[in-house]
Structure formats: structure tokens, C-alpha cells
Amino acid sequence: MIINIPENSDFSIHNIPFGIFSTEDRSPRAGVAIGEHILDLAALSELDVFDFNTAVFEKEVLNDFISLGKEITKKVRRDIQLWLQDDNSILAGKTELFVKQTDAQMHMPVYVNDYTDFYSSIEHATNVGKMFRDPENALLPNWKHIPVGYHGRASSIVVSGEPVHRPKGQTIPVGSEQPVFGPSQRVDFELEMGFITGKSTNLGESISTTEANDYIFGLVLFNDWSARDIQKWEYVPLGPFLAKNFASHISPWIVTLEALAPFKVEGPNQEPKVLPYLEFEGARNYDINLEVGIAPEGSEEQTVCQSNFKYMYWNMAQQLAHHTVNGCNINVGDLYGSGTISGKDENSYGSMLELAWMGTKPLKMKDGTERKFILDGDTVTMRGHAEKDGKRVGFGEVSAKILPAK
């Protein structure tokens, strides 16, 4: 092996995720994560090993590289895997091509032109329905017929590490019928995965569930922050607005669909039967272990959630097919959130809203404090990895600190 990869590294030889990094002496550019290092693709391209215009590796986002198509992006990944495992390859002795991750700053991996958030975990939707609507009829009538989603705000999607200020807005105090203005008292995380599209379509075109994988470049961890008290007041009749658009965080490394192929699993049984355009063949869910930790300022992190992407009722192929069935066009770099990922057990719930059950069951932190929702100074960190038959493919983490309202 050209470079040492620690045991249980998220960035094994089976992964090779793509991202954008910079250092003190290297401008933002494309790289791949391998173990504790980054392989500088812009520097590698100077060895004349690629047969396409490698100027795409010097861009500040991956959109142009991704738009070259999977025939090229898959070959780049495969070639790097082979070179890393061959002690006589072009990478041999080329230490200048590698940068320690600790010496690099990560950036947004893609320019996100459009963003859609889905609501595809039946456990999460059921929990929310029980809390806010009817414990006996928690799901709305349409939920098992369509992958429910809404269009979000792309401009406030930021990369892991950027802090975010507590949002302000209108809320309804308990026992009052009149709104007040001020900082949200119920800031919450939402544990999600996001997929990024690698091909564009024209207005009027649709993508079938069979074609969907050709359009999905890869996945990231996604923390879709929410302000539950603002959301409760504003979401009727048109849905989330200020409660959701103040910030969402993504992990910096995009794990390709090819790297995740060994971890495909069957999803939940869908009853009633879906309409023909949502039917699909084969395993379309992914067994990805997920966890969330909260670290109060100056204190040790407490794991509060352990979930899995395999729980999703609606899969990515169905989400993309539904999104485009009306002719909605998509672009390279568009981001699609899975919706909060919750499992059946209480410790697998993917939001504080569920974990603390609307504040009625506070979580105890290691420093002795309690959490109903996220407090100023708290750092929320999400991690994810898939593991099977000695292969581990991970996402690293998406982490962010909540600062006081401005």
C-alpha cells in the first residue's frame, strides 16, 4: 500500500470519496480522502495520467468534474484504488501529492443550485403525527402513496465546521394566542443523508426508478437544522420556512454510489402497493450506521442517537422518480435530503423532538445537565459508516456549534 490506512478508517481503499480542500499553500481544489490523508487530484493531474481536461480539479467545487459523467468519474476512482495498492505505481514516492487531513481546510464540495428535503422515514413521520395530530391516525392520508417533500433554501447549506447562530422568528408562547418575536427556544437537529445528482435533465423530462442510479453521484451526511417553535406557528398552510432555512450542514466528502454498492439491502415492505412509476426492482436501501453526539461547551460529547439509513420507507430512486415525474428538471450538484432518519427504538430517533418527546423526557448529558433541545454552545456531530465482510466505507462527520442569536 502506497500510504498507511489506519484500521477502521472511514476512508479505506474501498471508499475513495471526493471533496474540495485547501491548505496554506494550496488553493481550493479537488481531492480524495484516503486514511488520514488527502490525495491532491490537481497535483496528480500534472503527471498526465488522465485523458480528459483536468482543469476541473482546480475548480472550487466538484460540479464540472461530476458533470463529465460516471464513465470518467468511476474510472478515476478505480485507477486511484489500483495505484494506491501498487507499490510500483505512479504514486510511489510522490509524498508531495498527499496532504494530512489535519493540515487541510475542507470546503463545500459542490455548488448547490437547488435543494429538496423529503420526509421519508415512517417512524419519524409517525412520531411527529402522534405528537402534533392524532396518536391513532398519525400518518396523513397521502404519506404511503407519495414520497412527501418540499423545496428548501440552497443558499444556507454550509459545510461541516461552520458555526450557526440561533435563529429568530415568530413563536406562540404557551397559553397565548398572539405571536411574539425572538430567538427560537427549540432549536433541533435532524439526522439525514443527502444525495447529490450528477446529471442534468431538461424541463419536461422524467427519471424512472430504473434510471435513478445513473443520475445519483454520491451521498453526504446531512444535518437539516430546525426551529421547532417557529415551525409550529408558520408551517400551516405552506410548510417550513424560517424554521428550516437558517442553516443546513453537509459533510465535506461525497461517498460515491459505487462505493456503497456492497451495502445495499431490502427496504421496508410498502403497503398499499405504490403506483407504477414508483415501482422498482432490486435492493435500493443502504445499510449505513448513523449516530449523533451532543457536546455541551467545555464538556464531553454524549451520544444521543444511533440509527441507520436502511430504515427509510421511501428510497432514493423513488424520491428522484417522484421529484421529476411532473417534468421538473434537475441539475448537477442538486442536493436531496432524505428526511429525518428514525428507527423503531427510542435511541434511534433522529431528532431531539422525538428523543426528548417534545421536551417531556429530557436527555441527561455527561456533565450533569439536561437537554430538551439544543442550547447555545452545544456542538452537534453526526457520523456514519457502512461495514460488511471486512469492508468499511464511511463519511467522516458533519459537525457544527450553535452560537447565540445575533
Side-chain angles (χ1 to χ4, degrees):
M1 187 70 71
I2 291 293
I3 199 162
N4 178 59
I5 302 174
E7 189 176 358
N8 293 325
S9 171
D10 276 1
F11 308 120
S12 70
I13 194 70
H14 308 290
N15 194 347
I16 314 297
F18 294 89
I20 297 291
F21 77 99
S22 65
T23 66
E24 288 186 358
D25 58 355
R26 302 186 197 217
S27 59
R29 60 190 56 205
V32 297
I34 184 72
E36 296 175 340
H37 289 78
I38 299 170
L39 175 60
D40 184 337
L41 293 179
L44 175 61
S45 67
E46 295 177 5
L47 300 181
D48 198 27
V49 294
F50 300 117
D51 58 359
F52 54 87
N53 184 355
T54 55
V56 294
F57 291 141
E58 299 174 11
K59 300 293 183 68
E60 295 187 355
V61 288
L62 290 168
N63 296 56
D64 286 352
F65 169 62
I66 294 172
S67 68
L68 295 176
K70 286 201 175 188
E71 183 178 349
I72 288 178
T73 61
K74 287 166 67 174
K75 186 176 186 301
V76 169
R77 178 175 171 269
R78 284 196 305 269
D79 286 346
I80 290 171
Q81 286 177 315
L82 293 173
W83 294 335
L84 286 168
Q85 296 175 90
D86 180 0
D87 291 337
N88 297 311
S89 76
I90 57 160
L91 297 181
K94 301 289 197 310
T95 56
E96 70 276 8
L97 299 179
F98 295 91
V99 173
K100 287 185 177 180
Q101 290 197 36
T102 52
D103 293 337
Q105 178 181 348
M106 299 305 299
H107 303 272
M108 278 289 292
V110 291
Y111 172 73
V112 180
N113 185 66
D114 271 311
Y115 155 55
T116 298
D117 192 33
F118 287 95
Y119 187 51
S120 292
S121 161
I122 193 168
E123 288 83 6
H124 174 67
T126 299
N127 288 338
V128 172
K130 285 180 178 178
M131 282 186 266
F132 290 105
R133 286 186 292 273
D134 182 351
E136 301 302 321
N137 295 287
L139 295 178
L140 289 170
N142 65 353
W143 200 91
K144 287 189 174 182
H145 294 275
I146 60 173
V148 175
Y150 71 94
H151 292 289
R153 182 73 181 178
S155 66
S156 52
I157 296 172
V158 291
V159 74
S160 174
E162 274 199 44
V164 58
H165 286 273
R166 180 174 296 272
K168 295 180 287 188
Q170 290 189 24
T171 60
I172 292 284
V174 176
S176 174
E177 295 182 356
Q178 295 299 315
V180 298
F181 174 80
S184 168
Q185 301 303 307
R186 294 193 165 193
V187 171
D188 197 357
F189 65 80
E190 290 192 5
L191 171 63
E192 301 193 24
M193 299 292 297
F195 71 85
I196 292 167
T197 45
K199 291 173 67 175
S200 299
T201 60
N202 296 315
L203 194 66
E205 295 178 348
S206 300
I207 300 169
S208 70
T209 57
T210 303
E211 300 167 322
N213 279 10
D214 294 334
Y215 285 82
I216 299 173
F217 175 71
L219 280 72
V220 292
L221 297 173
F222 189 57
N223 182 357
D224 187 27
W225 295 99
S226 293
R228 300 296 185 185
D229 43 2
I230 296 174
Q231 184 175 358
K232 185 178 180 181
W233 172 236
E234 74 177 2
Y235 85 101
V236 178
L238 293 182
F241 187 39
L242 301 186
K244 305 287 289 185
N245 68 7
F246 62 96
S248 297
H249 278 85
I250 67 171
S251 53
W253 295 108
I254 305 175
V255 177
T256 64
L257 217 54
E258 292 73 40
L260 294 169
F263 311 103
K264 287 183 179 181
V265 292
E266 299 288 340
N269 184 46
Q270 295 183 334
E271 287 290 342
K273 185 179 179 180
V274 299
L275 291 175
Y277 79 95
L278 291 170
E279 293 178 349
F280 63 94
E281 293 183 358
R284 293 300 186 97
N285 281 38
Y286 291 83
D287 185 359
I288 301 173
N289 298 300
L290 301 167
E291 68 173 45
V292 183
I294 299 174
E297 191 160 24
S299 184
E300 190 178 351
E301 181 181 295
Q302 168 75 39
T303 300
V304 297
C305 166
Q306 292 180 312
S307 193
N308 195 297
F309 191 41
K310 68 183 179 183
Y311 298 142
M312 302 306 289
Y313 186 89
W314 296 104
N315 61 53
M316 294 182 288
Q318 292 176 307
Q319 290 170 341
L320 195 54
H322 183 66
H323 197 302
T324 61
V325 73
N326 66 342
C328 175
N329 56 318
I330 68 168
N331 293 296
V332 174
D334 285 355
L335 177 67
Y336 307 79
S338 63
T340 303
I341 303 167
S342 295
K344 297 184 185 302
D345 300 328
E346 289 187 9
N347 68 348
S348 67
Y349 294 166
S351 67
M352 288 297 291
L353 179 69
E354 298 164 89
L355 289 165
W357 207 256
M358 276 205 307
T360 61
K361 300 177 180 179
L363 304 185
K364 293 189 181 297
M365 299 290 104
K366 290 184 178 180
D367 63 359
T369 60
E370 292 184 337
R371 290 295 181 280
K372 297 179 180 179
F373 291 95
I374 304 302
L375 301 183
D376 291 346
D378 286 351
T379 296
V380 176
T381 302
M382 298 175 177
R383 302 177 181 88
H385 76 275
E387 196 161 9
K388 180 183 178 183
D389 299 332
K391 296 181 179 179
R392 181 181 172 111
V393 170
F395 292 79
E397 62 182 39
V398 56
S399 185
K401 184 176 184 178
I402 291 291
L403 302 178
K406 281 189 174 182

